[in-house]
Amino acid sequence: MNITGKLFTITNLETFVASYVKTNGRPTEGFAHLGKTRVHLATDLPNGQFSGSFIPSMSFSIDSNDRGDFSFAIPSSLASSRGQVIAFRTTMMPHPVPGFPPIRILDPLYRSKPFRFSDVSTQEQQTVQKIFIAQLTTPDDQGISQTKLNLTLTPIRKNLELDSLKATILSSRVNVHATKSGGDLKFSAFVRGSTSDDLGRVIDVKAGEIDIDLPGPDCIVGLCVDEGQIEEQIRKGLSRLSSELSKDLRTAVKKRLPGVGDLASISVWRCRFVQTGTRTIKLPITNQAFELPIMSVVPDIAIGVLENFRADLY
């Protein structure tokens, strides 16, 4: 069984959309070959569910050639399983330990709808699926502002009856600090594009390691603070935030691309932390003023559409 595709990059969005609509999904202009790209074919092995991990744990991977061509040969034993094609943008970052090779960073450019391998006909196996991808840049003022983040966290603070809950957007992450009954909870939240098989989920906000510092013996503090409950609720709150942000991004794409937006697979190929303002604070006693940056998280989206007005890869 073969899964074959060809990736294109949309070079002029307006020209491409006009050509796509005019030719009934067979565009002739506004795009070029995407070039070498990492492509994963995720599977729902071993238990019939996709893993949910950023890099699919049970998957095939390949780099497309310079013209965007890729192909997977799937064993017949996987006929009853499901697959999902995910194309990634690849960048490299220096390793934090000197002397070690750089670290490869993958960000999703395109996610297909999941499909069952047994549903792919012989004719479809012989067809090269053309995928057109546009990497868009979101205006800085349309990102996730500090104000919006604060409003989102308010219900979490109330539900957990926390004394305080503060989230601060920094240059590469979101720092979260909560207090309850004399205890401190600290963690960093990381924002990146989702690789979920649920295409309605476009962005993920996930907590890193959560550090809970409780005063006094656990047998006493445990009466006031349930560590497990706090951690669980924080993660659930971030999951709800991810869903809300994903919905906003999908709505924006549909408005920008009428007639095409409903067919597009949407991913976040980059998250930028940008300064959108400043605030002034004064130190006590000295009354000395300092200006601190106000940051926002700006998700840049990628849209992918198939040839022939198709919403499904197969």
Side-chain angles (χ1 to χ4, degrees), residues 50-54 84 86 108-114 152 190-207 232-251 253-254 264-269 271 299-302:
F50 292 93
S51 66
S53 58
F54 183 76
Q84 180 189 25
I86 307 174
L109 291 174
Y110 170 79
R111 297 175 294 156
S112 75
K113 286 186 177 180
T152 302
F190 299 93
V191 186
R192 69 181 310 171
S194 174
T195 57
S196 170
D197 58 299
D198 175 6
L199 299 189
R201 194 174 189 86
V202 180
I203 194 169
D204 278 331
V205 184
K206 293 188 176 182
E232 179 184 2
Q233 290 300 315
I234 288 291
R235 295 188 188 278
K236 284 184 177 179
L238 291 177
S239 179
R240 287 193 295 270
L241 174 58
S242 299
S243 297
E244 293 170 6
L245 295 176
S246 296
K247 183 178 179 181
D248 291 344
L249 289 172
R250 292 192 63 82
T251 300
V253 168
K254 290 180 180 180
S265 168
I266 303 173
S267 300
V268 169
W269 68 274
C271 282
D300 291 329
I301 62 173

Side-chain angles (χ1 to χ4, degrees), residues 167-308:
T168 305
I169 301 175
L170 304 178
S171 60
S172 62
R173 67 186 191 280
V174 179
N175 188 55
V176 181
H177 181 203
T179 61
K180 180 176 181 178
S181 303
D184 279 326
L185 178 149
K186 300 177 182 178
F187 66 92
S188 292
F190 299 93
V191 186
R192 69 181 310 171
S194 174
T195 57
S196 170
D197 58 299
D198 175 6
L199 299 189
R201 194 174 189 86
V202 180
I203 194 169
D204 278 331
V205 184
K206 293 188 176 182
E209 182 177 351
I210 297 178
D211 178 26
I212 301 178
D213 183 19
L214 302 178
D218 287 349
C219 61
I220 297 176
V221 178
L223 298 175
C224 305
V225 181
D226 185 335
E227 296 181 54
Q229 183 189 30
I230 291 177
E231 182 169 345
E232 179 184 2
Q233 290 300 315
I234 288 291
R235 295 188 188 278
K236 284 184 177 179
L238 291 177
S239 179
R240 287 193 295 270
L241 174 58
S242 299
S243 297
E244 293 170 6
L245 295 176
S246 296
K247 183 178 179 181
D248 291 344
L249 289 172
R250 292 192 63 82
T251 300
V253 168
K254 290 180 180 180
K255 288 183 178 179
R256 182 173 179 179
L257 302 174
V260 177
D262 288 334
L263 300 173
S265 168
I266 303 173
S267 300
V268 169
W269 68 274
R270 179 177 64 183
C271 282
R272 294 179 289 117
F273 291 76
V274 301
Q275 182 175 342
T276 53
T278 59
R279 64 187 179 95
T280 302
I281 63 170
K282 291 185 178 181
L283 296 179
I285 303 177
T286 64
N287 209 33
Q288 187 176 2
F290 284 91
E291 284 195 348
L292 297 178
I294 298 175
M295 308 292 290
S296 291
V297 184
V298 183
D300 291 329
I301 62 173
I303 63 168
V305 293
L306 300 170
E307 193 178 37
N308 299 333

Side-chain angles (χ1 to χ4, degrees), residues 37 56 75 77 82 100 106 129-130 162 178 265 285 293:
T37 304
S77 58
R82 292 180 300 154
F100 280 74
L106 299 177
Q129 303 292 339
K130 295 181 179 179
L162 297 172
S265 168
I285 303 177

